[in-house]
Amino acid sequence: MALFQDPSDHVFDPAVPQILPYEKMYLVQIGNKPFRLSGASLSSDAPSYFTEYFSKRQNSVSATHVNADDDDALVIDRSPQIFELIYHHLQGYFVHIRDEVEFTMLYADAMYYNLPRLRAQLQHSDFYYACIGGESFRVPRGLFWQDGNSPNYFELTYSATYADIEHIFLSKKLIRPPPQSPPFVNRSPALFKDILALLSGATLKLDDEKRQSLILECRYYRLQNLEQRLLKCSVGWNPLLQRSEIILNLCDIKKAGLSLPPPSNVKGCISTPSTRTPSPKSPLDDEPVSPPPKKPKVCTEKNWAMTAYKRPFVDREFHELLFQIDIPDVTIQFNKRSKTIHVCLSGEAAHRFEKVFGGLLLDNVVDVATYWREPSLNSKPSRVLALPACMSLCDFKVNGVKIRSLRMLVEDPQFTSQVPDLTSKDGATALGIRIYLTKSLWKLGIINGELMMVAIKAEGISSVREHNRSLEFL
């Protein structure tokens, strides 16, 4: 008889099959403690070790016509403390399990006594039991109902651990289940309490350090929905562009959440020539690539498609993506000779950009590999990702001073120096300006096999002296 119609709904069939006489009492001694159970109680979870034993004894008595002593006990060498729980279960009561040790021992004895209904109840229990950092937790399964929070660490661990025990016990026909230590997680119990509070709907005041710690814990426990909700993020409405925007750190962007909607005109965007070697016309190109302009100009002829993003498991709609880069080794380079602007990423910043956007760009006939450069300046070669950039829409600060006009910045002699000519692959240099960005906010535009980094907001310094001025004494 199927006692669980659907494990996910925990449907219980209260009917008790009449395997043993309901009113007859049976004596069972577990360890050093005797228990008396009715035939109804033993039949409520059957067929089992008990029903098979007493049914055989009853049939043997009937065949030999010898009266059996009702006080003849079935003696079993197992834990009487754990059998107390089974005793209440057979009587029809709810079984309260205190911790992971009791749960593990009860599961082992449910297999030993071959109690199918109790095993099903434990397999589909409303709680996970685990020791986290030395502290016992009884975690409601219902907390993980949101898409992305399942399958999680507990679900996978329980499924693998207890399924393996049962498989070994049944397949090898062991006398008793093999010993199994209860689940232990070597993580912070305090942080796990915060995770449970957040899953329960609580709001916590988090500083950056605490937030990052909780994000790492979510990744460990595979709570992807909660992880996305913990990321620092801003979603708002741009009334001028009439679309929603999302601001995320580059490190927090998932490739799966990216999209490229139809183009939308970005007025005032400077058209900067690409640094990559022109490729043959792609079947996806509507027009051949135009020659590079000799002077910066308003990009009215290019209708850039701006990258959009939807947080996995959280957002229902895509938002236009603004991504923040606060990793070191990001510079803006103005080339006075070619009238071009590039944002140069190296180290971790370049790796992150390529990892996040490489697939989307390749899908749109933009190969990130063609933007890598190895400029040599002052005999110090370095490998950088040199991306064409637009600064005309940017709220820009250099050395703490807001830049009102890019033209005035470029023409200011105090910032002029030799910079690599990123439009050339021969290691040439040219007069220009290099600004080291400390924080910056960008949009990524794509059209006809080209990309454009559109700066929204940026802060930078121009020299070592300015860096030293920003330092604070301990």
Side-chain angles (χ1 to χ4, degrees):
M1 177 178 292
L3 299 176
F4 278 89
Q5 306 299 329
D6 184 347
S8 64
D9 294 333
H10 297 245
V11 177
F12 169 67
D13 185 352
V16 177
Q18 190 161 6
I19 298 176
L20 296 174
Y22 287 171
E23 69 285 351
K24 187 175 177 64
M25 300 301 293
Y26 296 88
L27 180 61
V28 178
Q29 181 171 326
I30 308 297
N32 60 356
K33 186 172 182 179
F35 295 86
R36 283 193 179 272
L37 297 105
S38 67
S41 292
L42 292 175
S43 299
S44 67
D45 196 350
S48 67
Y49 184 102
F50 306 109
T51 58
E52 288 186 9
Y53 175 83
F54 288 115
S55 293
K56 286 180 181 178
R57 191 172 80 169
Q58 184 173 299
N59 293 337
S60 175
V61 169
S62 299
T64 58
H65 302 285
V66 176
N67 292 328
D69 188 350
D70 288 342
D71 288 332
D72 286 345
L74 168 60
V75 180
I76 302 174
D77 186 20
R78 297 295 285 179
S79 166
Q81 288 78 22
I82 296 301
F83 194 79
E84 287 277 2
L85 301 175
I86 295 175
Y87 182 66
H88 292 307
H89 160 74
L90 293 173
Q91 290 177 319
Y93 293 110
F94 168 78
V95 176
H96 176 74
I97 303 171
R98 290 176 300 177
D99 55 29
E100 68 284 352
V101 175
E102 199 166 73
F103 179 90
T104 303
M105 295 177 69
L106 180 59
Y107 193 92
D109 276 4
M111 287 190 292
Y112 181 83
Y113 299 126
N114 190 27
L115 298 167
R117 183 161 64 87
L118 180 57
R119 278 158 55 191
Q121 287 180 349
L122 294 176
Q123 288 167 359
H124 305 291
S125 168
D126 290 336
F127 298 92
Y128 293 116
Y129 299 86
C131 179
I132 298 177
E135 188 170 341
S136 294
F137 285 87
R138 187 169 174 260
V139 185
R141 290 195 186 198
L143 291 181
F144 307 118
W145 63 270
Q146 290 178 314
D147 185 28
N149 286 340
S150 177
N152 54 58
Y153 172 89
F154 301 101
E155 185 175 340
L156 296 173
T157 301
Y158 267 64
S159 176
T161 302
Y162 295 108
D164 287 347
I165 296 174
E166 190 161 342
H167 174 72
I168 293 171
F169 177 65
L170 296 177
S171 63
K172 295 186 179 296
K173 299 181 180 179
L174 301 177
I175 296 176
R176 57 190 181 189
Q180 174 64 41
S181 60
F184 176 80
V185 187
N186 190 21
R187 307 293 290 187
S188 165
L191 290 175
F192 189 69
K193 288 178 182 177
D194 288 336
I195 286 177
L196 293 182
L198 291 168
L199 290 173
S200 300
T203 301
L204 302 180
K205 187 175 181 180
L206 305 175
D207 56 28
D208 289 346
E209 185 177 348
K210 183 68 168 291
R211 183 186 300 274
Q212 189 59 34
S213 296
L214 287 173
I215 288 172
L216 292 176
E217 294 300 294
C218 286
R219 289 174 184 168
Y220 181 86
Y221 294 117
R222 293 177 58 92
L223 302 175
Q224 299 178 77
N225 185 295
L226 182 57
E227 176 192 342
Q228 290 297 313
R229 293 181 182 277
L230 281 171
L231 295 176
K232 292 191 79 171
C233 169
S234 175
V235 178
W237 179 257
N238 188 322
L240 301 179
L241 299 178
Q242 287 295 297
R243 64 176 66 94
S244 61
E245 295 177 334
I246 184 169
I247 302 176
L248 276 169
N249 196 294
L250 178 63
C251 300
D252 296 330
I253 297 173
K254 299 284 187 182
K255 293 185 291 185
L258 292 169
S259 177
L260 192 68
S264 58
N265 189 34
V266 182
K267 296 181 180 180
C269 177
I270 295 179
S271 176
T272 309
S274 170
T275 61
R276 65 186 177 89
T277 303
S279 57
K281 183 180 177 182
S282 164
L284 297 179
D285 293 337
D286 296 328
E287 298 177 359
V289 178
S290 58
K294 295 187 180 296
K295 294 182 180 180
K297 64 178 181 178
V298 175
C299 186
T300 55
E301 75 280 4
K302 291 196 176 182
N303 197 14
W304 297 97
M306 291 297 169
T307 305
Y309 190 72
K310 179 171 67 173
R311 285 174 295 172
F313 311 111
V314 175
D315 292 330
R316 294 185 178 182
E317 303 293 337
F318 282 95
H319 314 279
E320 191 158 284
L321 174 64
L322 288 75
F323 56 96
Q324 180 170 312
I325 305 178
D326 47 20
I327 306 172
D329 298 325
V330 180
T331 61
I332 285 287
Q333 294 191 181
F334 300 84
N335 187 320
K336 292 187 177 184
R337 183 174 64 188
S338 61
K339 309 296 185 184
T340 57
I341 307 173
H342 292 85
V343 55
C344 296
L345 311 178
S346 60
E348 181 67 14
H351 171 73
R352 288 283 183 181
F353 181 89
E354 190 171 31
K355 181 179 179 181
V356 170
F357 295 109
L360 178 70
L361 291 170
L362 200 58
D363 290 343
N364 291 274
V365 205
V366 182
D367 186 0
V368 178
T370 62
Y371 291 91
W372 282 103
R373 293 288 180 272
E374 294 188 6
S376 178
L377 189 62
N378 299 327
S379 302
K380 294 182 179 180
S382 60
R383 192 165 182 259
V384 300
L385 196 57
L387 306 174
C390 164
M391 300 291 292
S392 62
L393 300 176
C394 184
D395 179 16
F396 195 20
K397 283 186 179 180
V398 178
N399 301 334
V401 178
K402 180 167 286 191
I403 303 302
R404 302 292 180 182
S405 167
L406 285 178
R407 184 176 297 277
M408 292 178 63
L409 174 68
V410 172
E411 293 176 352
D412 192 332
Q414 69 169 318
F415 296 119
T416 300
S417 62
Q418 288 289 324
V419 298
D421 187 353
L422 298 172
T423 62
S424 170
K425 291 188 176 181
D426 58 6
T429 62
L431 283 178
I433 296 175
R434 176 187 288 166
I435 303 297
Y436 299 85
L437 298 185
T438 54
K439 287 189 294 186
S440 52
L441 205 58
W442 301 87
K443 288 185 180 182
L444 176 61
I446 303 173
I447 187 173
N448 295 337
E450 297 183 73
L451 69 81
M452 177 67 68
M453 292 280 284
V454 180
I456 305 301
K457 192 170 186 176
E459 296 179 4
I461 56 177
S462 62
S463 65
V464 174
R465 180 184 298 236
E466 292 300 329
H467 167 73
N468 294 342
R469 192 172 68 172
S470 68
L471 298 177
E472 298 289 343
F473 290 107
L474 294 177

